[in-house]
Amino acid sequence: MAGKAAAPGTAVLLVTANVGSLFDDVVHTHKPHFMALHCQEFGGKNYETSMSHVDKFVKELLSSDAMKEYNRARVYLDENFKSQEHFTALGSFYFLHESLKNIYQFDFKAKKYKKVTGKEIYSDTLESTPMLEKEKFPQDYFPECKWSRKGFVRTRWCVADCAFDLVNIHLFHDASNLVAWETSPSVYSGIRHKALGYVLDRIIDQRFEKVSYFVFGDFNFRLDSKSVVETLCTQATMQTVRAADTNEVVKLIFRESDNDRKVMLQLEKKVFHYFNQEVFRDNNGTALLEFDKELSVFKDRLYELDISFPPSYPYSEDSGQGRQYMNTRCPAWCDRVLMSPSARELILKSESEEKVVTYDHIGPNVCMGDHKPVFLAFRIAPGAGKPHAHVHKCCVVQ
């Protein structure tokens, strides 16, 4: 039971799961008092047909054995896929353990905290909900995609006298492996940089008091493709295949210089087929972290704990191939839990002789969709928020 956990303080669990994967084992292991689950592509890739099953899934989740000790919940589901202007397919779930007292959520319209009681589900159109801020990125951020669902949803909480924002985010993907390979950094990296910068500017602007923040979701961060290919295929020769009618490059084939000209890598718009997938799994792929560069632009604004798990995408969706990557994209750490410098101080204050901070992925050997869920578990130390409680006015019931 979460209330009887040995370590002091308030246990917090933040999870990002691209298609809402199950996470019962993580709940059982870390016994959080406050839990946040951020989903992207909620309802799956084919949301037009599967969204009808979402309500049933949510009700079953709220009433499941794993969640029986969580007597308060807030669920925000962007289900209105017919609204091209606003639809993001983001789903944000927040669960509060029965032992946790005096939890408040911020009302962005009234600009004050309100005590959280009961279980409430908000769906369809979220624009009118004052307990969150939601935005879809402008179309001109990613003109290649005629109907992008990328955007973010922000909520603000006060837990154990600590106020913080939780931001569910989904950034733009790489539309073509061939285009990503052309430059270093890629044009897509620049688009993600622009979008993430917009989100960070938005959540620290002058409209509201500044608080710590955690941003977690599918950032679609990719390894620097040009550098990765050059490293993996150092001894290879490259063959370029062009379309007969347009002369456009449609395929790159990298062959070993000897060894019967064995194909090492085949690169197409949506094909990244490297002959040895073990390089992405050996030692959790840490040898490839040097090519994970997209976050470095924000090194003064965002912090991340050390990554010690393999790339979270793109896994096979074959139920019997839980460890296998698909040959569609270069494996990368797309799914992350990032935080502001002040949030980093909050969780590191909680470190003691006992390890209470864990940053990892879920279901390493189990098929959980093309993304593996990623989580951050930590504890807010007793009294950590006390110096700021009067500033946030969290302790006043509104």
Side-chain angles (χ1 to χ4, degrees):
M1 180 174 174
K4 296 181 179 179
T10 303
V12 177
L13 177 65
L14 309 180
V15 183
T16 175
N18 188 272
V19 290
S21 308
L22 299 177
F23 54 103
D24 292 16
D25 288 347
V26 179
V27 175
H28 178 75
T29 300
H30 294 279
K31 299 178 172 58
H33 299 98
F34 179 90
M35 176 168 50
L37 169 64
H38 285 176
C39 299
Q40 306 79 43
E41 303 285 4
F42 198 78
K45 299 285 194 287
N46 301 312
Y47 46 84
E48 294 94 337
T49 56
S50 59
M51 199 63 84
S52 59
H53 304 294
V54 166
D55 291 342
K56 180 182 177 183
F57 166 79
V58 171
K59 290 176 182 176
E60 288 181 353
L61 176 62
L62 291 175
S63 61
S64 66
D65 286 344
M67 308 306 298
K68 65 184 179 182
E69 296 182 356
Y70 295 84
N71 61 351
R72 289 151 294 169
R74 292 294 182 270
V75 179
Y76 302 103
L77 306 174
D78 190 3
E79 295 182 324
N80 188 15
F81 60 83
K82 294 181 180 179
S83 174
Q84 181 172 340
E85 182 181 356
H86 299 293
F87 181 56
T88 64
L90 294 171
S92 299
F93 299 72
Y94 305 98
F95 305 97
L96 286 67
H97 192 268
E98 60 192 11
S99 66
L100 197 57
K101 309 300 181 186
N102 299 325
I103 302 303
Y104 303 89
Q105 186 180 2
F106 191 68
D107 182 319
F108 288 95
K109 186 174 181 180
K111 295 188 176 182
K112 63 183 181 181
Y113 288 91
K114 295 183 177 180
K115 191 169 184 176
V116 180
T117 60
K119 298 179 180 180
E120 297 177 3
I121 301 173
Y122 298 86
S123 60
D124 196 24
T125 303
L126 298 180
E127 284 70 33
S128 60
T129 305
M131 307 308 288
L132 58 79
E133 283 200 319
K134 174 198 147 191
E135 286 191 50
K136 179 178 172 179
F137 296 120
Q139 184 64 42
D140 60 5
Y141 272 38
F142 199 44
E144 287 185 45
C145 190
K146 63 180 180 180
W147 187 10
S148 170
R149 299 180 298 281
K150 307 303 189 288
F152 70 96
V153 170
R154 168 199 193 186
T155 57
R156 176 170 291 188
W157 302 83
C158 191
V159 179
D161 295 325
C162 293
F164 50 79
D165 283 348
L166 300 179
V167 182
N168 187 355
I169 193 168
H170 195 183
L171 297 183
F172 301 96
H173 61 281
D174 282 12
S176 168
N177 292 323
L178 293 170
V179 173
W181 179 81
E182 290 174 352
T183 59
S184 175
S186 78
V187 62
Y188 304 119
S189 174
I191 294 170
R192 288 187 285 272
H193 175 196
K194 180 180 179 181
L196 181 53
Y198 174 85
V199 173
L200 296 180
D201 290 342
R202 187 70 171 154
I203 63 178
I204 63 168
D205 62 19
Q206 300 301 314
R207 295 171 303 138
F208 305 104
E209 171 201 353
K210 291 182 175 63
V211 300
S212 300
Y213 54 84
F214 295 88
V215 186
F216 52 112
D218 179 6
F219 292 84
N220 263 313
F221 289 161
R222 307 300 169 98
L223 304 186
D224 187 81
S225 187
K226 193 169 186 65
S227 300
V228 170
V229 170
E230 289 174 352
T231 300
L232 294 179
C233 302
T234 304
Q235 304 300 323
T237 57
M238 185 181 77
Q239 174 189 352
T240 303
V241 180
R242 298 179 180 271
D245 52 347
T246 64
N247 203 37
E248 178 186 4
V249 176
V250 294
K251 184 186 300 185
L252 298 174
I253 302 173
F254 296 82
R255 299 178 183 273
E256 291 187 358
S257 300
D258 47 22
N259 194 25
D260 297 327
R261 304 274 295 160
K262 175 183 175 181
V263 174
M264 299 180 68
L265 172 66
Q266 184 168 308
L267 200 65
E268 299 177 33
K269 180 178 181 179
K270 294 186 178 181
V271 173
F272 186 98
H273 192 174
Y274 188 63
F275 78 105
N276 177 22
Q277 280 202 2
E278 288 303 316
V279 70
F280 304 110
R281 289 190 288 261
D282 285 348
N283 196 26
N284 290 322
T286 50
L288 298 169
L289 280 170
E290 65 174 293
F291 306 113
D292 179 66
K293 302 177 179 179
E294 293 195 32
L295 189 55
S296 62
V297 179
F298 299 96
K299 64 180 183 299
D300 296 326
R301 305 177 72 183
L302 287 170
Y303 175 77
E304 181 178 30
L305 296 184
D306 290 340
I307 292 176
S308 59
F309 50 88
S312 63
Y313 171 86
Y315 280 91
S316 170
E317 295 181 288
D318 183 329
S319 60
Q321 300 288 332
R323 296 184 71 247
Q324 189 77 12
Y325 288 107
M326 288 192 285
N327 295 315
T328 52
R329 309 286 185 184
C330 178
W333 288 272
C334 292
D335 308 273
R336 322 279 276 255
V337 181
L338 310 179
M339 67 201 76
S340 64
S342 59
R344 175 196 179 193
E345 294 303 313
L346 178 67
I347 72 168
L348 293 185
K349 278 180 186 175
S350 305
E351 281 282 34
S352 60
E353 293 181 8
E354 179 183 359
K355 180 174 173 56
V356 293
V357 179
T358 305
Y359 187 37
D360 205 350
H361 69 324
I362 301 173
N365 301 310
V366 181
C367 176
M368 307 189 84
D370 55 350
H371 290 254
K372 295 288 189 191
V374 170
F375 73 92
L376 174 67
F378 62 95
R379 304 185 80 87
I380 299 175
K386 290 293 184 185
H388 308 290
H390 69 287
V391 177
H392 302 311
K393 300 181 176 61
C394 302
C395 299
V396 180
V397 180
Q398 301 285 355

